[in-house]
Amino acid sequence: DAKTTQPNSMESNEEEPVHLPCNHSTISGTDYIHWYRQLPSQGPEYVIHGLTSNVNNRMASLAIAEDRKSSTLILHRATLRDAAVYYCILKSGSNSGYALNFGKGTSLLVTP
Amino acid sequence: EADIYQTPRYLVIGTGKKITLECSQTMGHDKMYWYQQDPGMELHLIHYSYGVNSTEKGDLSSESTVSRIRTEHFPLTLESARPSHTSQYLCASSLRGSAYEQYFGPGTRLTVT
């Protein structure tokens, strides 16, 4: 399985943009880049995903490097409710039934 | 809002009891999954299903079993609960393929005394 590398933790001030990086140098051509987050005491929540082009939705933006070896999740204005563990995951048919291979993720702390 | 449900949300039970954790989704998804997560630790896949009558073991060995008799229902059973089974169990579903997101239920927090 292709692996991802994320910083263990990041900190942001409320109402400021947050850029969460992810390295995936062994990504294959058919791997989709997915981001999920898990708020304390809750199940994971889908955030965004993409293949090659940058993507935007109501929650966040995903910037994918041209060589696809890295990506960045962008929260445009962090709120206290965005404090969570963010997971960058490569979704592939080679994983068990397209399951998600969660690593340790990045723990985002948002301070007022 | 994801239409995937898990019951019970919390369960405290004694050693040796048989338990079934329920998971249902109303989205018509073929793929369903069970993940296990100990407090402060990573999620690990323990079971998955491609569809009705299909079940497979995941990456993390588990003494639990699953069944998939109906598309919408994917229960997990522990025949004889032990304290080592204490954990959070998360159910998820998705359409087939890498381009589709997974939807997660709220989880069942199991404590075996």
Side-chain angles (χ1 to χ4, degrees):
Chain A
D1 293 346
K3 299 283 188 242
T4 63
T5 304
Q6 299 178 252
N8 288 334
S9 62
M10 291 185 65
E11 189 169 340
S12 172
N13 294 321
E14 196 176 12
E15 299 191 4
E16 288 188 356
V18 182
H19 291 234
L20 297 166
C22 181
N23 288 317
H24 29 78
S25 58
T26 60
I27 190 170
S28 73
T30 57
D31 289 343
Y32 277 76
I33 302 160
H34 283 244
W35 283 82
Y36 290 75
R37 71 181 186 180
Q38 187 173 24
L39 279 65
S41 301
Q42 294 189 25
E45 173 188 32
Y46 166 78
V47 177
I48 200 166
H49 75 282
L51 183 62
T52 57
S53 304
N54 294 343
V55 184
N56 300 297
N57 66 21
R58 63 176 180 82
M59 289 182 70
S61 295
L62 176 60
I64 301 173
E66 197 169 332
D67 63 4
R68 299 207 330 127
K69 293 184 185 298
S70 66
S71 62
T72 302
L73 179 70
I74 302 165
L75 307 179
H76 295 286
R77 286 183 67 215
T79 70
L80 297 178
R81 290 169 56 91
D82 291 322
V85 179
Y86 286 78
Y87 299 96
C88 169
I89 301 168
L90 300 182
K91 195 161 188 250
S92 164
S94 65
N95 290 357
S96 303
Y98 297 96
L100 299 173
N101 187 7
F102 288 87
K104 297 185 186 301
T106 296
S107 180
L108 175 65
L109 176 65
V110 180
T111 53
Chain B
E1 190 84 11
D3 295 323
I4 180 163
Y5 310 98
Q6 289 186 245
T7 57
R9 292 291 311 277
Y10 303 92
L11 178 62
V12 180
I13 201 162
T15 297
K17 300 290 187 184
K18 177 180 178 179
I19 59 171
T20 297
L21 307 184
E22 301 289 348
C23 176
S24 294
Q25 52 94 6
T26 58
M27 297 173 281
H29 288 167
D30 285 333
K31 305 299 296 299
M32 294 191 74
Y33 310 85
W34 277 101
Y35 295 85
Q36 183 175 343
Q37 185 178 34
D38 293 334
M41 305 298 285
E42 301 173 30
L43 285 89
H44 293 283
L45 179 72
I46 52 173
H47 298 284
Y48 64 99
S49 167
Y50 285 103
V52 172
N53 295 325
S54 154
T55 60
E56 303 285 345
K57 289 192 178 294
D59 307 321
L60 180 68
S61 176
S62 173
E63 294 170 346
S64 59
T65 59
V66 293
S67 63
R68 189 89 183 274
I69 298 172
R70 303 197 318 264
T71 296
E72 63 271 22
H73 195 214
F74 192 41
L76 181 145
T77 299
L78 277 165
E79 289 293 333
S80 179
R82 295 209 300 266
S84 60
H85 297 142
T86 295
S87 190
Q88 172 155 263
Y89 294 85
L90 291 151
C91 181
S93 73
S94 74
L95 292 170
R96 186 179 299 218
S98 300
Y100 299 103
E101 61 266 38
Q102 273 189 25
Y103 296 90
F104 283 81
T108 293
R109 191 169 295 279
L110 172 66
T111 302
V112 184
T113 60

